């Protein structure tokens, strides 16, 4: 197992090229199950979660040529329709094959994703929506067994909660259903938007893209001709490097981004006193005279993303005063708190609310353990300003979602080496 050894208090400066978005690439790769031709995809992030999904698609019978950021994937001759436990247990997002497999083949089995480090994370809303479209769903021995007579039928789905992968699963299912599906209270994250755009380019009629009401005209099980496409930039990776600039109070530029996708995050940096410069595809964060505390409530896009909560908590430890962070989406997404406290941070928890009493210069390097993807990046950020050396263990979590994190940070002046335990 690898760990990162980080010597803190180095000045950062320079620019970071942002990779393709993991959370866009995952549903888009799953959506190739709906394609009638080989699909060319560029700007794929080079991260473990993508390789996991490719392994799963390979087990289903897909073939591909994959070189780091480009892939040509052929799902025409899929033979298998079972996503087994050994894959799904390593990545919950494997659930994204459920909608497209069922829509194309009329049956599939997908292992039920269990709980995870950030909470229960049920998939009940995915299943309820598929049932409304005519699917018969059974849960047997830890597997979701889904079948439908003929095609899934268009229906009006009203999601009780805004769910990102739930919306994506139903959009993909609806694309090959018989008739019209309306999704009310749909997620409108940029990753959902790109999935809809790619399907629309392939000839699926979709109205309301980018809103919370999607109307999808199904093709009655006809696969559709995908055009080549490029994955959108990773707004969470982008936000994480801006946090590296923020926590060290240095100037850091991120390139290859869509600044609009970062609006909520950039507004918080400005509230904290940092200056932000933007052009069409880049954002630069400039030091604050005084880092001010913040109030953050995580919510759906375009609000402040839960996937940036841990990183902002690390930055808040450097502010002058008390920050309040309310995690509204996931009940157990504070695993980084105890590790930050071990580094000297003053953070108290009360239900969904973390109160961070910031003091510049308070963090001290020590051994800490990564617990989930974004919690891990918060620990790396904290280590950048800690006194002395921090060892961040269990960084396989980081490798799931960050493309060469330590290389990108070293390029802008950080002192980080990857070692073996
Ligand atoms: C996706 C992202 C993840 C991000 C999250 C919220 C991917 C691969 N992952 O996860 O990085 O943190 O959106 O922006 O894109 N819920 C239910 N029942 C369901 C589905 C969801 O109760 O069937 C609840 C969840 O427990 C959570 C909320 O709905 O409280 C939102 O979760 P959801 O948007 O579904 O998260 P994911 O799609 O799993």
């Amino acid at each position: 197992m690898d760990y990162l050894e980080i010597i803190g208090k180095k000045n950062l400066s320079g620019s970071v090229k942002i990779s393709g978005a993991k959370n866009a690439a995952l549903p888009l790769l799953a959506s190739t199950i709906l394609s009638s031709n080989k699909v060319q995809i560029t700007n794929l992030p080079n991260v473990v979660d993508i390789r996991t999904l490719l392994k799963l698609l390979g087990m289903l019978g897909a073939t591909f040529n994959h070189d780091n950021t480009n892939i040509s994937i052929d799902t025409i001759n899929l033979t298998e329709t079972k996503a087994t436990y050994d894959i799904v247990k390593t990545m919950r997002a494997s659930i994204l094959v459920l909608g497209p497999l069922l829509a194309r083949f009329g049956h599939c089995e997908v292992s039920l994703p269990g709980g995870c480090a950030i909470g229960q994370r049920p998939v009940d809303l995915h299943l309820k929506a598929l049932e409304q479209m005519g699917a018969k769903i059974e849960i047997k021995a830890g597997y979701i067994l889904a079948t439908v007579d003929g095609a899934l039928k268009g229906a009006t789905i009203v999601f009780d909660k805004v769910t990102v992968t739930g919306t994506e699963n139903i959009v993909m299912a609806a694309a090959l259903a018989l008739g019209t599906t309306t999704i009310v209270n749909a997620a409108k994250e940029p990753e959902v938007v790109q999935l809809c755009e790619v399907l629309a380019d392939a000839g699926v009629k979709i109205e309301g893209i980018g809103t919370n009401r999607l109307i999808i005209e199904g093709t009655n099980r006809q696969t559709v001709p995908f055009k080549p496409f490029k994955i959108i930039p990773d707004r969470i990776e982008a936000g994480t490097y801006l946090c590296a600039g923020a926590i060290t109070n240095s100037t850091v530029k991120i390139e290859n981004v869509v600044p609009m996708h970062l609006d909520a995050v950039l507004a918080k940096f400005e509230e904290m006193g940092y200056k932000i410069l933007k052009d069409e595809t880049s954002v630069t964060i400039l030091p604050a005279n005084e880092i001010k505390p913040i109030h953050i409530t995580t919510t759906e896009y375009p609000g402040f993303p839960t996937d940036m909560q841990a990183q902002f908590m690390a930055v808040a430890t450097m502010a002058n005063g008390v920050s309040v962070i309310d995690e509204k989406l996931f009940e157990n997404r504070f695993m980084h708190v105890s590790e930050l406290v071990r580094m000297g941070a003053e953070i108290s928890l009360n239900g969904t609310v973390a109160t961070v009493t910031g003091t510049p210069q308070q963090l001290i390097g020590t051994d800490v353990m990564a617990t989930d993807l974004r919690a891990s990046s918060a620990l790396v950020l904290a280590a950048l300003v800690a006194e002395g050396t921090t060892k961040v263990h269990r960084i396989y979590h980081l490798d799931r979602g960050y493309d060469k994190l330590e290389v990108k940070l070293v390029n802008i002046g950080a002192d980080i080496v990857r070692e073996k335990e």
Side-chain angles (χ1 to χ4, degrees):
M1 228 186 280
D2 293 355
Y3 67 90
L4 293 180
E5 187 166 310
I6 303 167
I7 300 178
K9 298 210 177 289
K10 305 288 172 193
N11 284 329
L12 303 189
S13 79
S15 63
V16 181
K17 286 210 165 49
I18 299 307
S19 301
K22 167 182 87 73
N23 285 354
L26 291 170
L28 285 164
L29 282 171
S31 77
T32 64
I33 293 173
L34 308 174
S35 177
S36 56
N37 53 269
K38 246 189 209 175
V39 188
Q40 315 288 337
I41 309 176
T42 51
N43 205 32
L44 206 60
N46 192 358
V47 298
V48 170
D49 272 8
I50 297 301
R51 293 195 283 278
T52 304
L53 186 60
L54 288 176
K55 189 170 166 198
L56 170 57
L57 291 171
M59 286 163 74
L60 299 176
T63 54
F64 38 81
N65 285 322
H66 177 208
D67 77 27
N68 293 331
T69 58
N70 300 315
I71 192 166
S72 155
I73 179 161
D74 182 344
T75 60
I76 300 162
N77 298 314
L78 286 198
T79 42
E80 282 294 320
T81 54
K82 181 169 179 173
T84 53
Y85 174 69
D86 51 322
I87 290 270
V88 181
K89 74 166 191 237
T90 63
M91 188 182 69
R92 292 182 46 81
S94 312
I95 192 72
L96 284 165
V97 298
L98 176 67
L101 280 179
L102 181 62
R104 178 168 155 192
F105 296 101
H107 60 89
C108 66
E109 280 180 55
V110 178
S111 172
L112 209 50
C116 72
I118 64 173
Q120 272 288 324
R121 298 184 79 176
V123 290
D124 55 316
L125 301 176
H126 304 226
L127 303 184
K128 185 175 159 202
L130 289 172
E131 281 177 332
Q132 286 176 277
M133 297 175 77
K136 195 165 153 274
I137 308 271
E138 248 187 293
I139 307 291
K140 215 169 179 179
Y143 276 80
I144 302 162
L145 312 184
T147 50
V148 62
D149 279 340
L152 288 164
K153 314 277 175 304
T156 297
I157 309 294
V158 183
F159 277 122
D160 291 338
K161 282 185 193 171
V162 176
T163 161
V164 175
T165 50
T167 302
E168 291 164 346
N169 242 331
I170 301 312
V171 165
M172 291 187 278
L176 261 57
L178 172 64
T180 306
T181 301
T182 302
I183 308 179
V184 180
N185 203 23
K188 51 185 184 194
E189 269 65 5
E191 296 77 19
V192 178
V193 170
Q194 189 177 24
L195 173 68
C196 292
E197 284 170 347
V198 165
L199 288 171
D201 266 356
V204 179
K205 281 200 193 112
I206 307 184
E207 274 176 46
I209 296 179
T211 73
N212 51 19
R213 186 183 182 88
L214 294 169
I215 302 170
I216 302 144
E217 210 64 65
T219 65
N220 192 13
R221 293 182 78 179
Q222 286 300 306
T223 51
V224 286
F226 274 48
K227 302 216 171 83
F229 61 88
K230 179 178 176 185
I231 307 280
I232 57 169
D234 195 315
R235 62 196 167 98
I236 306 301
E237 189 200 17
T240 303
Y241 290 107
L242 289 175
C243 282
I247 201 165
T248 56
N249 215 14
S250 1
T251 301
V252 170
K253 183 175 186 180
I254 50 164
E255 295 180 286
N256 293 356
V257 293
V258 180
M260 198 183 76
H261 293 170
L262 288 156
D263 279 347
V265 164
L266 299 182
K268 288 295 165 194
F269 283 130
E270 286 179 330
E271 273 178 46
M272 294 182 88
Y274 299 102
K275 194 162 182 314
I276 297 290
L277 301 177
K278 291 188 261 187
D279 65 23
E280 268 184 20
T281 57
S282 75
V283 175
T284 306
I285 186 164
L286 302 163
N289 292 331
E290 186 205 344
I291 305 176
K292 295 184 209 132
I294 26 149
H295 282 216
I296 287 177
T297 300
T298 65
T299 183
E300 295 89 16
Y301 187 85
F304 189 91
T306 173
D307 286 352
M308 285 302 304
Q309 178 258 106
Q311 301 90 316
F312 264 77
M313 192 179 299
V315 178
T317 65
M318 289 292 113
N320 276 300
V322 178
S323 295
V324 178
I325 300 180
D326 192 353
E327 172 55 63
K328 288 278 190 226
L329 291 191
F330 294 112
E331 76 269 24
N332 194 23
R333 204 167 197 177
F334 281 135
M335 309 281 280
H336 43 286
V337 169
S338 53
E339 299 301 288
L340 289 172
V341 167
R342 293 186 60 252
M343 294 176 76
E346 209 182 314
I347 306 172
S348 64
L349 278 182
N350 185 2
T352 64
V353 178
T355 305
V356 185
T357 306
T359 328
Q361 317 294 328
Q362 70 175 334
L363 299 181
I364 299 166
T366 182
D367 287 83
V368 288
M369 198 127 82
T371 46
D372 71 58
L373 175 56
R374 308 305 170 184
S376 316
S377 58
L379 300 178
V380 172
L381 291 170
L384 295 176
V385 279
E387 187 71 50
T389 303
T390 303
K391 289 183 186 172
V392 183
H393 300 273
R394 298 206 179 164
I395 53 159
Y396 55 84
H397 291 291
L398 275 177
D399 295 333
R400 287 188 43 199
Y402 285 95
D403 190 349
K404 300 186 224 57
L405 177 90
E406 76 271 24
V407 176
K408 291 186 182 187
L409 284 172
V410 165
N411 283 345
I412 55 171
D415 185 337
I416 309 183
V417 285
R418 181 180 282 251
E419 302 279 6
K420 296 253 174 255
E421 296 279 2

